[in-house]
Amino acid sequence: MSGSVQDNGQAASALGAIESAALRSDRFRLEREADWQRLEAIVRKMEKGRLRKVSDEDLLALPGLYRAAASGLSVARETSLDAATVAYLETLVQRAWFVVYGPRTSLAGWLRSFFAGGWSAAVRAIGADVAACFAILVAAVAAGWLLVANDPEWYFALVGREMAGPRVPGATPEMLRATLFDNADQNGLSVFAAQLFSNNAQVSILAFALGFAFGIPSVLLLVQNLALLGAMLWLYSGAGLTLDFAGWIAVHGTTEIFAILLSAAAGLHIGRTLAFPGPRPLLSAAAAAGQRAAVVMVGVVLMLVIAALLEGFARQLVDTTLGRFSIGGFMLVVWCAYFFAFPGTRRWREERAGEGGLR
């Protein structure tokens, strides 16, 4: 009998706790439901693109309503309110976050801003690293030349026997000239272009991605690829084909080498920022550097696509040194003008000023 009474007492206590929790949850919801409904109405209009139907009062109240809902969600979780209230608040806060803080630019809008000035501004923002990598590039080409000039065995260490093919020390001028001209009837140029893009993209992405190691791998990759160019330049120069080889490289190299230079500069920029973050906190400085470098790298991918097309088609189809220099020179002028002389469209500058500028 006493056991039955005790069980009844426990059941009544549990029932009372449940009723108390339900009342607490109802009271919590009733006290805040009006604000939640107002926030939900604003979010629904903005999600449907009906921003003009949102009143000024609602727009001004939106951040406060969002923070109140987020605070309510935190309280609801900590006090173990009913699951329906917690689920409702989670959905509402998530939707409101995208409205208040989420990106407002479509892909088309981002691309328009990218080409209208965002890309060139990002390159100029890492201008010191671009200049340093250009100096390294020149030194690497000179080093490659000097190494093979003093010991031709260095040629195979830099170029590799498979890549060299008939382009080896001791080859006759006629053999070397044949590698530069009369290749218009080659088949599978599109496949060749795709392979070149894949190889160059791999080098560029590695140069960028390894920048976190204080930029050292980025610089080493740049030296490796450009020392190879110096070795080949020495080979063709010895056969009296310096200009012909330069034209053969220029038709695509002014784009391809520029892209590799920018990717190494982007990696160096991140590494240099990690080593010397300046007055800003390290994480903040690294995030800003990563943002600038990422924008540069998006453009690098585009440059590599263009370089692969030039190398796979224009270099084979244009069989004169003058024509190749004309294409390569034109591309170099276009890139330099865009990166260093184009300040961005007026609309882009106005939008950038409104956003506080690229940090």
Side-chain angles (χ1 to χ4, degrees):
M1 182 68 180
S2 60
S4 177
V5 171
Q6 187 175 3
D7 290 343
N8 290 336
Q10 290 176 346
S13 176
L15 183 61
I18 294 173
E19 290 177 347
S20 176
L23 288 172
R24 190 170 64 248
S25 181
D26 288 343
R27 192 181 310 116
F28 178 84
R29 181 166 188 143
L30 287 172
E31 288 174 353
R32 296 165 176 79
E33 194 166 26
D35 286 343
W36 297 347
Q37 290 177 347
R38 185 183 179 190
L39 175 61
E40 186 176 11
I42 297 171
V43 170
R44 189 184 305 115
K45 290 177 183 175
M46 296 182 74
E47 286 176 339
K48 293 181 179 179
R50 300 172 181 171
L51 187 59
R52 292 183 179 179
K53 293 190 176 181
V54 181
S55 65
D56 293 341
E57 292 78 10
D58 282 345
L59 279 178
L60 291 173
L62 177 59
L65 292 170
Y66 164 73
R67 287 192 292 271
S71 176
L73 174 60
S74 177
V75 173
R77 285 171 170 167
E78 290 179 359
T79 55
S80 302
L81 294 182
D82 67 277
T85 300
V86 173
Y88 170 77
L89 282 175
E90 285 178 341
T91 303
L92 178 60
V93 169
Q94 189 176 44
R95 292 169 60 197
W97 183 89
F98 278 104
V99 168
V100 176
Y101 299 109
R104 298 174 179 78
T105 304
S106 63
L107 177 60
W110 186 87
L111 288 174
R112 187 167 53 250
S113 174
F114 177 78
F115 289 110
W119 183 16
S120 58
V123 171
R124 288 194 297 276
I126 65 169
D129 305 281
V130 174
C133 285
F134 180 73
I136 294 169
L137 180 154
V138 174
V141 172
W145 175 299
L146 292 174
L147 281 173
V148 294
N150 285 283
D151 183 359
E153 285 300 315
W154 271 101
Y155 183 84
F156 296 105
L158 295 174
V159 180
R161 292 184 182 276
E162 184 178 351
M163 176 183 246
R167 298 169 293 193
V168 295
T172 64
E174 290 72 22
M175 291 173 62
L176 293 177
R177 182 179 174 78
T179 64
L180 303 179
F181 298 103
D182 302 325
N183 296 314
D185 57 345
Q186 284 188 357
N187 295 321
L189 289 180
S190 58
V191 176
F192 184 54
Q195 290 175 341
L196 291 172
F197 170 75
S198 175
N199 177 70
N200 295 332
Q202 187 177 17
V203 172
S204 298
I205 290 172
L206 275 177
F208 166 67
L210 297 178
F212 71 89
F214 303 108
I216 296 173
S218 306
V219 171
L220 291 179
L221 278 170
L222 185 64
V223 170
Q224 180 194 15
N225 282 273
L226 274 299
L228 178 155
L229 179 61
M232 295 189 71
L233 189 58
W234 166 83
L235 178 70
Y236 282 91
S237 178
L241 297 168
T242 305
L243 278 180
D244 293 327
F245 177 72
W248 185 80
I249 284 291
V251 68
H252 72 284
T254 50
T255 298
E256 179 186 73
I257 296 175
F258 212 148
I260 294 175
L261 171 70
L262 291 180
S263 62
L268 180 62
H269 181 67
I270 293 175
R272 187 171 60 84
T273 303
L274 289 173
F276 308 102
R280 301 175 66 180
L282 175 61
L283 288 179
S284 176
Q291 184 181 22
R292 286 190 288 269
V295 173
V296 173
M297 286 305 296
V298 172
V300 164
V301 174
L302 173 64
M303 293 178 74
L304 290 175
V305 172
I306 295 173
L309 293 174
L310 289 172
E311 188 168 4
F313 293 92
R315 193 176 70 182
Q316 318 302 332
L317 301 175
V318 178
D319 217 29
T320 64
T321 297
L322 179 60
R324 290 169 174 173
F325 268 125
S326 299
I327 296 173
F330 172 77
M331 295 306 301
L332 182 61
V333 169
V334 168
W335 295 126
C336 288
Y338 177 73
F339 290 137
F340 305 117
F342 177 56
T345 63
R346 181 178 178 181
R347 179 180 175 182
W348 178 83
R349 294 199 303 272
E350 291 174 351
E351 291 176 351
R352 183 167 177 258
E355 294 170 356
L358 183 66
R359 294 185 294 275

